[in-house]
């Protein structure tokens, strides 16, 4: 399972009114991205879903169970890989299962590492890995968690353009095998279009869902899509929404 729903969620921090009546959903096995202006409350949505804060109004549900102010129901991947420097690749991947108190499946761990193109680095420490390799470890740690929803907060923003595209292609190949539900935050319109089934465009704060874009491109997706006329037309549409 893995159906996440936010219904009429509103959040303020004192006089700072961040979210207003946000309603969105991520269906089981779906890849949904959120784009919006800086400071529009994208990360606040993740904080509410993760139970770090409670919404002032509204309801957050996973498979019909209310999550408001409840932790441990999602797997979260931040902008930085946040790997433990004293733990090897294998140990970092398995920490999500340790925290959740679930049985560690070393065979599954090694298979994820192999599929991530990291064979031979099982015993390596984060200091021995490149930026892209660290992000791969961070993502397969999220995949290895028992939770059915993964929230990704601009995970490729610190990478150069070519490494980022390589990571996006890799992410899609791994996700299409595992098909966990993903909610993805990005400032990059190309990235949102290339990865997603749907894109939610937020307004300036107090943020509302300004538009929902259904991405029409079939999967699997290749690099050539990025320069196609339909892709560029949809990119201009989203850009106009963000500017307006």
């Amino acid at each position: 399972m893995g159906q996440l729903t936010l219904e009429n969620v509103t959040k303020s921090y004192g006089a700072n009114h961040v979210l207003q009546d946000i309603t969105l959903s991520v269906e089981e096995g779906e890849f949904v991205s959120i784009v919006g202006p800086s400071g529009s409350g994208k990360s606040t949505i993740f904080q509410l879903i993760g139970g770090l804060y409670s919404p002032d109004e509204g309801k957050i549900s996973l498979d019909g169970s209310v999550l408001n102010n409840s932790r441990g129901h999602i797997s979260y991947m931040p902008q930085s890989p946040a790997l433990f420097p004293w733990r090897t690749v294998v140990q970092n991947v398995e920490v999500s299962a340790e925290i959740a108190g679930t049985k560690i499946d070393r065979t599954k761990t090694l298979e994820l590492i192999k599929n991530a193109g990291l064979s031979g680095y099982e015993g390596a420490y984060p200091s021995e890995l490149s930026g892209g390799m660290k992000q791969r470890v961070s993502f397969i740690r999220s995949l290895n968690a028992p939770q059915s929803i993964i929230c990704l907060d601009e995970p490729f923003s610190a990478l150069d353009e070519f490494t980022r595209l390589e990571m996006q292609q890799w992410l899609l190949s791994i996700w299409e095998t595992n098909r966990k539900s993903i909610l993805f935050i990005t400032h990059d319109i190309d990235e949102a279009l290339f990865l997603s089934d749907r894109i939610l465009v937020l307004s300036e704060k107090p943020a509302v869902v300004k538009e929902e874009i259904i991405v029409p491109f079939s999967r699997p997706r290749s690099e050539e899509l990025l320069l196609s006329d339909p892709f560029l037309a949809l990119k201009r549409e989203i850009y106009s929404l963000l500017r307006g």
Side-chain angles (χ1 to χ4, degrees), residues 125-147:
Y125 291 90
S127 61
E128 303 172 73
L129 306 177
S130 68
M133 293 166 76
K134 290 176 186 176
Q135 290 296 76
R136 291 183 186 213
V137 175
S138 184
F139 181 66
I140 60 176
R141 178 178 60 189
S142 299
L143 277 179
N144 201 40
Q147 294 88 349

Side-chain angles (χ1 to χ4, degrees), residues 171-235:
L171 171 60
L172 283 182
S173 69
I174 295 291
W175 172 75
E176 284 168 1
T177 300
N178 291 269
R179 283 285 176 161
K180 284 196 174 186
S181 308
I182 290 182
L183 187 59
F184 189 95
I185 286 176
T186 180
H187 280 96
D188 189 317
I189 299 173
D190 283 18
E191 182 168 70
L193 282 169
F194 188 63
L195 295 175
S196 309
D197 297 309
R198 285 187 294 123
I199 299 171
L200 304 172
V201 182
L202 298 187
S203 68
E204 296 277 0
K205 69 177 182 181
V208 300
V209 177
K210 197 172 186 179
E211 192 77 39
E212 176 186 275
I213 306 290
I214 297 173
V215 180
F217 311 122
S218 60
R219 298 185 185 277
R221 294 175 184 168
S222 64
E223 187 177 343
E224 289 72 28
L225 175 65
L226 295 166
L227 296 177
S228 68
D229 290 338
F231 186 97
L232 295 173
L234 203 46
K235 178 179 178 178

Side-chain angles (χ1 to χ4, degrees), residues 6 28 36 52 78 82 88-89 99 108 122 126 151 164 209:
L6 277 69
E28 183 178 354
L52 299 178
T88 64
V89 167
I99 291 170
K108 178 185 176 185
E122 294 87 350
C151 290
R164 187 164 63 243
V209 177

